[in-house]
Amino acid sequence: MLAGIVWWTRQQAAPPQAGGGRNAGPMSIVPETIGKGDIGVSLNALGTVTSLATVTIRSQISGYLMKIDFKEGDEVKKGDLIAEIDSRPYEATLAQAKGQLARDEAQLKGAQVDLTRYQNLAAQNAVPHQTLDTQVALVAQYQGTVEADRASVKSAEVNLQYCHIVSPINGRVGLRQVDLGNYVTPGDTNGLVVITQLEPISVLFTLPEDNLQAVSKRLREGAVLPTAAYDRSGANKLAEGSLQTFDSQIDATTGTIKLRAQFENDKRTLFPNQFVNVRLLLDTHKDATTMSTAGIQRGVPGTFVYLVNADSTVSVRPVKLGVTDGDRVEVLSGLVAGDRIVIDGADKLREGAKVVVRSPADAANPAAAAKGAANGAAKGDGKGDSKDGADPGGGHHKRSEDGQKK
């Protein structure tokens, strides 16, 4: 009975030992080779798309709106006709001003003829000098009247031109504010329509005042600072442009400085008052050692990575990092080009841990990787089971043979 209890106890303890041995295999990881390349020093900010010119079209004269020569949403050029106002009253005013000018010019001409006659007679002492002086003053008066009449004609011509309202800029026409047939005046608040320039267009954004010196230095050097606008998620690039200038003073309440970047916007991906994420490329570090941000680990050693050794083990390597550009980061010290680091599967790694390298395709398709691992485990378990089965079987035959011998 004692021997049976001992044998049963050993059989219960054996499976856990065998299972623990199978689970103590190497960890599966995805490595990346450290390389050299250019990395940009970028500043990120939040911005708002702002048109370079927004014009509210208003009438400069009073009258009935006789024609609207645009459709809402049309693209118009500078000088294109927008609307027409009843021009008949202003045509009559112009004709009246021209008639008055012709009358006064005739009077001036007659006065100048008399003045010439009086000057000849005064030279012969045939007329008093007082008569000559009076005629000189009369000619000057008529000259002033003619100049005033000419100004009235120009004013009437300008008012007649105002009857034809044209676009002062290139841009997009918004929604119509006044319908055909309404009586419009220069004092209308909403105007006729709003025209907004879309090409080119600008983006206003703010940066902390600490970045002002670096930006100002680059602009003084004559550098063109590329600026990219991204959508609200920050994943899709909408347009590329360049920084134009910055404001003349810092906002004391927020400690930020306002900057303006300009974009060609030929594809019309930017629209006024649109919210965008701005990335300003301040400088570029040439031929820098770079790595993926996915390989960065932080813990007791500080910032470190898991370095893949030639013997399929990993070691902890502290690193010093520089600027970050997207998913790439500059490595200042700790790694050299050609080193391999772990970028996926580093959760349970330790110093000296064994690893098995898998391809990035397996990392992107975990189901296939899991299937392959399961197949490998099944093959290993089958071999182990046949071996384990052989041992008990062999022992049984041995005991039988011993029994027969006995």
Side-chain angles (χ1 to χ4, degrees), residues 17 64 96 116 195 197 203-204 253 289-290 305 325 340 377:
Q17 294 175 357
Y64 287 99
Q96 181 181 2
T116 303
I195 300 178
Q197 180 178 331
V203 173
L204 293 178
T253 59
T289 303
T290 64
V305 297
D325 185 13
R340 292 200 306 166

Side-chain angles (χ1 to χ4, degrees), residues 171-236:
R172 183 179 187 273
V173 179
L175 301 180
R176 187 176 68 250
Q177 303 296 324
V178 179
D179 295 328
L180 190 68
N182 280 274
Y183 188 83
V184 295
T185 64
D188 292 341
T189 304
N190 297 326
L192 304 179
V193 71
V194 176
I195 300 178
T196 305
Q197 180 178 331
L198 299 180
E199 184 181 349
I201 203 167
S202 69
V203 173
L204 293 178
F205 61 98
T206 57
L207 287 176
E209 57 181 322
D210 297 338
N211 297 325
L212 176 59
Q213 296 302 323
V215 174
S216 177
K217 179 181 177 182
R218 294 286 292 159
L219 290 179
R220 286 197 304 268
E221 293 172 351
V224 177
L225 303 184
T227 308
Y230 292 79
D231 62 2
R232 187 180 295 270
S233 65
N236 301 319

Side-chain angles (χ1 to χ4, degrees), residues 12-76:
Q12 293 295 323
Q17 294 175 357
R22 287 195 297 267
N23 292 336
M27 300 296 295
S28 177
I29 59 98
V30 174
E32 180 194 62
T33 303
I34 301 299
K36 290 278 190 177
D38 298 342
I39 189 165
V41 181
S42 301
L43 302 176
N44 297 321
L46 303 178
T48 303
V49 180
T50 306
S51 175
L52 292 175
T54 301
V55 179
T56 301
I57 303 299
R58 291 186 173 89
S59 174
Q60 294 179 271
I61 58 175
S62 299
Y64 287 99
L65 192 61
M66 304 298 292
K67 181 180 179 182
I68 295 178
D69 200 35
F70 68 89
K71 294 181 180 179
E72 296 175 335
D74 279 354
E75 298 286 339
V76 296

